[in-house]
Amino acid sequence: MAGRAAPAAGALLCALLWAAAAAAGGGPGDNPAPGAFGHVYRGAVNISAERVYAFAYRSEPGQVDAVRVYVNSSSENLQYPVLFVVRQQKGVLSWQVPLIFRGLYQRTYNYQEVSRTLCPTEPTPETRPSDQIIFVDVASMAPFNIAYELLVTRLENFQLETNKAFNFTASPSQPQYFLYKFPQDVDSVIINVVSDAAYPCSVVSVQDIVCPVYDLDHNVEFNGVYQSMTKQAAITVQRKDFPGEQFFVVFVIKPEDYACGGSVPSSIHGNVNRTWNLQRTKNLQVTIVPSIKKSVYVQAMFFSFLGFLSFYLGSVIVAFVHYIRVQRKASAGRLSPEHGSGMMTSSHPISASTPEGSSYGAIDESSSSGGRQLSSPERRPPAGSDTDSSVEEESDFDTMPEIESDKNIIRTKVFLYLSDLSRKDRRIVSKKYKIYFWNIITIAVFYALPVIQLVITYQTMSASRSAGGVRAHNVSSEDCYQVVNVTGNQDICYYNFLCAHPLGVLSAFNNILSNVGHMMLGFLFLLIVLRRDILHRRAMEMKDIYTLDYGIPKHFGLFYAMAIALMMEGVLSACYHVCPNYSNFQFDTSFMYMIAGLCMLKLYQTRHPDINASAYSAYASFAVVISLAVLGVVFGKNDVWFWVIFSMIHVLASLALSTQIYYMGRFKIDGPDSDVGMFRRAVMVLYTDCIQQCSRPMYMDRMVLLIVGNLVNWSFAIFGLVYRPRDFASYILGIFICNLLLYLAFYIIMKLRSSEKLLPIPMFCIVATAVVWAAALYFFFQTLSSWEETPAESREKNRPCILLGFFDDHDVWHFLSAAALFFSFLVLLTLDDDLDTVRRDKIPVF
């Protein structure tokens, strides 16, 4: 800060004011002494003697002049501080030395050196220079002399320039602020602030050109927007928010570091009442760069929509090619009973007189054959009557009353085939799985609407609701503003501020736009499933549905539910990214649990259509998981008791589910002696299955899967109990995904072991799924922010955009994860297309 001597005109003006004060009969303390910029004035004051200094300078036309006042006092007496009052043309600024800051638990920090930048004079429209004068009053109520020092300088580098870095130093008692004016061709800028040292904690604030400027720890939050900072901060500022097209950038150093995640210095523990002159200076560098132009927004939106519309085009091409192949085969009379998309022709009619005992299962006994009994003619509905009429509800009639007498025998065979577990009426089972679709729509409405309402009310808040009207001068009563703009606190939301592009009331439009892939691909998968369903229904109209014993039973309810879940994941992820933080992270994960759960259920349903879980029990289980996730968010930080209980629930649930899978749902812990019978039954099962036949389990393949699965889940339980991860929602999601991947790998391995084939389309989908998931996870682990840490620490992870200058790593994760989920769904949809020409009594169950 270089000082300049007052010009002759300013000195003459000061002398005239001094003479006028003396002629009016004022006391010696009332006579202002003419001061010179850059000169250090030393003196002493007491209750009967005060000093007044006058500093005059000339302001050039169109120039903004800023003056900085430095004061120092050797006195440590808090009872009699030295008072400094600076009088300007349009305002008064005052402070005391020692300057007192208050920290946590009423700690006080006292500084004897203080420097403040005075509110600068506004540029005058006049074409000639104007004279300005500043009075500095120094006083004290002390009965004895207190020495002080005074230095007044003019700031040479007060106005920041675009794309030019500026370095400076600040401390709690010596804050800094600078002026920035928007260039003519710039509508938005990003203020980048960096520091080599994380601490001391600091605050960066953007304030309108209004005096006084709030540049102390206790008032910096009164105006404008602000961020706490350790090593890095970034604030996007738009021209439309400042009618004067200029603003102040204020830098304040906090007296303590707890706001940034630091701790109170060990040297002051126990000294609550007084701490003097802590060395809390911080070197900062500020650079203001133009933000992206509107054309980049348009390019980003076109890229997002056209990129995913290409999936629609690819699906149309695949469907057209498949249609041509089917027509050629149909014309040649070579089309198999059911192929690919569920389409059937009459080229290979299936006789209704198929023998009942034809080779159902590896054990070829007619007494326990489990061959599917065909319905009698009088009970068989006409072909094509696959209706959804309420008279066909499962509660109204049982299509196979004899199934209750022999299903225990059938399901306990060593080798099971699909015909053993697809004995129920197809219409009833299909209606059972359609409940998944209707229930998830109901859940989505009841879950998503309150979330959307919360986001809208949280994001758009009337200016009249701003606390105390402190910020009311920035807005009008008709405007609605983002809650971050109303409160000014940008620590509320955990954005990647180096790549957060606002649009309207949305602070990070790019994070919301990147979720369009989930919605578009979810809808596309819905259309693909609908096409298969329609083709399958048409095929059903051409044949007696009770004679169709080929291929995997076609039930599309779970696929519809998966499509809705994918679309809802996009909606709720967008809602979360409106203001991502610790409190609403559940928005982003709830439907991910449902997607993983529905995929596992669909995979299990493929070869267990009669014994898969009902929609009510499945969604009830998801509700329990989400409830545990909420409890984990609330209690899972440091409460050991919660992790003990959750780990026990996790292990017991794994054992219970393993038992149901191993015994095909036929294991029941009951008995005539109530509780005693339950324990007796459990002991007997353990004895017979684990001791008598320990050398080789009855169901070897299932046992291998369940042993590996339990080891994985027990490892998760132990990990959670030992490390207690704070991100409990992601921890549960990891459990679901690992179990899904484990079961999918087991399914594909068993499929290949059974000499089944992988057709080109499912093979392509498997490879695409693996590649896209690998790329997606790479970008997922490029952490750009973390609500597990303080906002200031989270901003240390912020990084610039990497795609089109608009999208960051997390946006790329959104794009790739949407594509990966879509390909994953296609794997489940097409994985068993090779079995459409195989009889169900030849398809093994695993």
Side-chain angles (χ1 to χ4, degrees):
M1 297 180 293
R4 293 186 297 183
L12 178 60
L13 175 61
C14 184
L16 292 175
L17 290 173
W18 188 11
D30 297 326
N31 297 330
F37 287 102
H39 179 71
V40 178
Y41 293 90
R42 296 179 176 87
V45 291
N46 57 46
I47 191 172
S48 59
E50 64 179 75
R51 295 290 182 267
V52 181
Y53 298 88
F55 297 86
Y57 62 96
R58 175 162 292 181
S59 179
E60 299 296 330
Q63 177 179 342
V64 178
D65 292 289
V67 175
R68 190 166 180 86
V69 179
Y70 167 85
V71 297
N72 180 24
S73 174
S74 59
S75 174
E76 297 184 358
N77 193 329
L78 298 180
Q79 299 298 321
Y80 300 105
V82 181
L83 305 178
F84 293 87
V85 180
V86 181
R87 291 176 286 159
Q88 298 177 263
Q89 180 179 348
K90 292 186 178 181
V92 176
L93 182 65
S94 64
W95 65 89
Q96 69 180 49
V97 178
L99 186 60
I100 301 175
F101 293 97
R102 295 194 178 275
L104 199 62
Y105 305 120
Q106 300 304 313
R107 292 188 180 89
T108 57
Y109 303 89
N110 310 317
Y111 289 84
Q112 295 169 276
E113 297 181 4
V114 180
S115 64
R116 304 282 298 278
T117 300
L118 306 184
C119 199
T121 58
E122 299 179 6
T124 59
E126 302 175 2
T127 58
R128 57 183 180 180
S130 59
D131 296 319
Q132 305 291 332
I133 189 167
I134 298 171
F135 292 96
V136 180
D137 300 358
V138 186
S140 177
M141 298 299 289
F144 48 86
N145 287 337
I146 300 179
Y148 67 89
E149 291 182 354
L150 171 65
L151 172 65
V152 180
T153 60
R154 294 182 69 177
L155 293 179
E156 296 292 340
N157 299 302
F158 180 67
Q159 185 167 334
L160 299 174
E161 300 180 15
T162 306
N163 292 320
K164 185 176 181 180
F166 180 70
N167 297 278
F168 60 95
T169 301
S171 70
S173 62
Q174 301 183 58
Q176 299 270 15
Y177 67 86
F178 304 95
L179 174 70
Y180 180 79
K181 294 182 179 180
F182 282 97
Q184 291 298 323
D185 57 342
V186 175
D187 294 325
S188 177
V189 295
I190 300 177
I191 304 171
N192 294 327
V193 187
V194 296
S195 175
D196 293 334
Y199 299 105
C201 176
S202 55
V203 174
V204 181
S205 174
V206 176
Q207 302 180 19
D208 200 0
I209 305 296
V210 178
C211 293
V213 178
Y214 299 99
D215 60 350
L216 292 177
D217 174 59
H218 66 273
N219 61 18
V220 68
E221 301 175 1
F222 288 178
N223 188 22
V225 296
Y226 61 91
Q227 293 180 2
S228 58
M229 171 188 167
T230 52
K231 289 186 175 182
Q232 181 173 258
I235 301 178
T236 299
V237 183
Q238 301 182 77
R239 181 196 293 266
K240 67 181 180 63
D241 295 332
F242 295 93
E245 299 183 354
Q246 56 186 351
F247 55 84
F248 289 137
V249 186
V250 184
F251 303 90
V252 174
I253 307 301
K254 304 285 286 184
E256 290 182 345
D257 295 330
Y258 67 87
C260 294
S263 57
V264 178
S266 58
S267 60
I268 68 171
H269 281 300
N271 190 1
V272 176
N273 295 325
R274 183 176 301 177
T275 304
W276 290 93
N277 291 334
L278 290 177
Q279 297 300 316
R280 293 180 61 80
T281 59
K282 188 167 188 174
N283 297 320
L284 299 164
Q285 182 185 83
V286 57
T287 308
I288 300 182
V289 297
S291 186
I292 61 173
K293 298 183 180 297
K294 294 181 180 179
S295 59
V296 180
Y297 283 82
V298 177
Q299 294 174 7
M301 286 188 280
F302 270 106
F303 172 81
S304 301
F305 285 97
L306 292 179
F308 289 106
L309 284 175
S310 64
F311 283 81
Y312 284 75
L313 178 61
S315 299
V316 171
I317 294 175
V318 171
F320 179 75
V321 171
H322 183 266
Y323 174 78
I324 296 299
R325 292 179 59 189
V326 168
Q327 292 299 318
R328 288 178 178 177
K329 289 184 178 181
S331 60
R334 292 182 290 106
L335 187 63
S336 55
E338 195 170 339
H339 184 75
S341 63
M343 187 173 185
M344 299 181 63
T345 68
S346 57
S347 58
H348 283 266
I350 301 175
S351 173
S353 60
T354 302
E356 296 181 3
S358 58
S359 206
Y360 289 102
I363 301 178
D364 193 15
E365 303 107 337
S366 60
S367 60
S368 59
S369 68
R372 184 159 67 92
Q373 303 293 331
L374 299 179
S375 299
S376 59
E378 60 271 19
R379 290 191 58 185
R380 182 182 305 153
S385 64
D386 189 15
T387 177
D388 291 338
S389 172
S390 60
V391 299
E392 296 176 350
E393 294 291 343
E394 188 172 5
S395 59
D396 293 337
F397 63 92
D398 189 347
T399 58
M400 295 192 65
E402 71 277 7
I403 197 171
E404 296 297 328
S405 63
D406 63 353
K407 63 183 179 183
N408 291 330
I409 300 175
I410 293 173
R411 296 179 190 176
T412 54
K413 293 191 302 182
V414 176
F415 298 102
L416 280 174
Y417 287 85
L418 185 58
S419 58
D420 299 321
L421 297 179
S422 59
R423 299 165 57 84
K424 292 183 179 179
D425 188 288
R426 178 196 169 275
R427 296 170 301 147
I428 301 304
V429 177
S430 181
K431 289 177 66 65
K432 169 186 174 181
Y433 291 120
K434 284 181 181 178
I435 298 176
Y436 276 96
F437 172 65
W438 296 112
N439 278 10
I440 201 170
I441 290 180
T442 305
I443 293 170
V445 170
F446 277 90
Y447 191 95
L449 286 183
V451 170
I452 295 173
Q453 179 186 3
L454 174 65
V455 168
I456 292 175
T457 55
Y458 187 71
Q459 189 70 13
T460 57
M461 193 175 291
S462 175
S464 62
R465 296 182 60 185
S466 59
V470 174
R471 304 168 51 79
H473 63 274
N474 289 334
V475 292
S476 63
S477 59
E478 295 83 13
D479 294 329
C480 288
Y481 284 81
Q482 183 185 7
V483 67
V484 171
N485 292 333
V486 173
T487 64
N489 185 5
Q490 293 203 347
D491 287 351
I492 294 176
C493 305
Y494 286 74
Y495 300 118
N496 174 19
F497 287 91
L498 288 177
C499 187
H501 303 298
L503 181 66
V505 298
L506 301 174
S507 297
F509 174 69
N510 53 301
N511 291 154
I512 297 172
L513 177 63
S514 58
N515 284 285
V516 70
H518 294 88
M519 292 177 274
M520 293 185 66
L521 294 185
F523 185 70
L524 174 59
F525 185 73
L526 187 70
L527 295 179
I528 293 174
V529 174
L530 179 61
R531 173 182 175 272
R532 285 206 166 204
D533 195 2
I534 292 174
L535 293 177
H536 183 64
R537 285 174 177 270
R538 289 178 181 175
M540 291 292 99
E541 294 175 358
M542 302 174 63
K543 292 187 175 293
D544 185 342
I545 63 173
Y546 290 99
T547 64
L548 300 180
D549 291 327
Y550 285 78
I552 301 294
K554 300 293 190 295
H555 304 299
F556 298 96
L558 273 167
F559 285 126
Y560 285 124
M562 290 159 56
I564 297 298
L566 181 56
M567 287 190 286
M568 288 308 304
E569 171 59 25
V571 172
L572 293 177
S573 178
C575 291
Y576 163 71
H577 283 91
V578 168
C579 182
N581 56 60
Y582 177 76
S583 301
N584 61 10
F585 185 63
Q586 182 187 345
F587 298 168
D588 196 30
T589 55
S590 294
F591 270 81
M592 286 299 295
Y593 304 148
M594 301 188 73
I595 289 174
L598 290 172
C599 288
M600 285 189 283
L601 287 171
K602 181 59 194 178
L603 203 55
Y604 188 78
Q605 179 227 32
T606 302
R607 307 209 180 207
H608 309 80
D610 287 356
I611 62 174
N612 202 21
S614 67
Y616 306 112
S617 59
Y619 289 128
S621 301
F622 297 152
V624 172
V625 171
I626 294 176
S627 300
L628 288 173
V630 173
L631 293 176
V633 169
V634 177
F635 300 107
K637 301 177 186 177
N638 300 311
D639 296 321
V640 178
W641 63 266
F642 170 80
W643 284 98
V644 172
I645 295 175
F646 175 78
S647 299
M648 292 177 60
I649 293 175
H650 187 187
V651 171
L652 292 176
S654 300
L655 291 173
L657 184 61
S658 299
T659 304
Q660 293 297 316
I661 293 175
Y662 186 72
Y663 289 102
M664 294 291 182
R666 301 316 308 155
F667 179 82
K668 295 185 181 298
I669 302 179
D670 54 8
D673 300 327
S674 186
D675 294 340
V676 178
M678 293 170 58
F679 287 108
R680 182 184 298 118
R681 178 71 179 275
V683 171
M684 290 298 297
V685 169
L686 291 174
Y687 175 75
T688 56
D689 289 0
C690 297
I691 297 178
Q692 286 186 339
Q693 300 182 16
C694 188
S695 59
R696 180 176 177 83
M698 183 178 296
Y699 314 112
M700 177 60 71
D701 295 330
R702 274 179 269 170
M703 179 60 71
V704 171
L705 168 66
L706 296 176
I707 289 176
V708 175
N710 276 276
L711 289 177
V712 169
N713 283 277
W714 295 352
S715 299
F716 268 104
I718 295 172
F719 173 83
L721 188 60
V722 173
Y723 292 98
R724 298 193 294 276
R726 187 178 179 186
D727 190 354
F728 186 77
S730 296
Y731 169 75
I732 294 185
L733 184 59
I735 295 174
F736 270 84
I737 292 177
C738 283
N739 280 275
L740 173 60
L741 293 178
L742 176 65
Y743 188 32
L744 179 61
F746 169 80
Y747 190 94
I748 294 176
I749 291 172
M750 292 301 299
K751 182 178 178 67
L752 297 177
R753 278 190 58 192
S754 303
S755 300
E756 298 177 8
K757 298 182 297 182
L758 290 176
L759 297 180
I761 289 182
M763 192 65 191
F764 168 79
C765 292
I766 291 174
V767 174
T769 299
V771 172
V772 178
W773 266 125
L777 291 175
Y778 169 80
F779 288 99
F780 175 76
F781 289 111
Q782 303 299 312
T783 308
L784 304 179
S785 62
S786 174
W787 48 256
E788 300 178 43
E789 302 173 345
T790 64
E793 292 171 330
S794 172
R795 270 186 284 274
E796 294 181 18
K797 307 175 185 294
N798 289 178
R799 282 184 289 183
C801 306
I802 63 170
L803 180 62
L804 301 178
F806 191 85
F807 298 110
D808 60 18
D809 298 74
H810 196 72
D811 296 322
V812 177
W813 149 254
H814 285 164
F815 290 138
L816 294 178
S817 64
L821 285 171
F822 175 72
F823 283 123
S824 301
F825 289 0
L826 289 181
V827 170
L828 299 182
L829 182 65
T830 62
L831 186 58
D832 289 313
D833 283 353
D834 60 302
L835 302 178
D836 287 344
T837 58
V838 179
R839 288 185 60 90
R840 291 176 188 169
D841 56 0
K842 303 295 184 181
I843 300 175
V845 172
F846 38 80

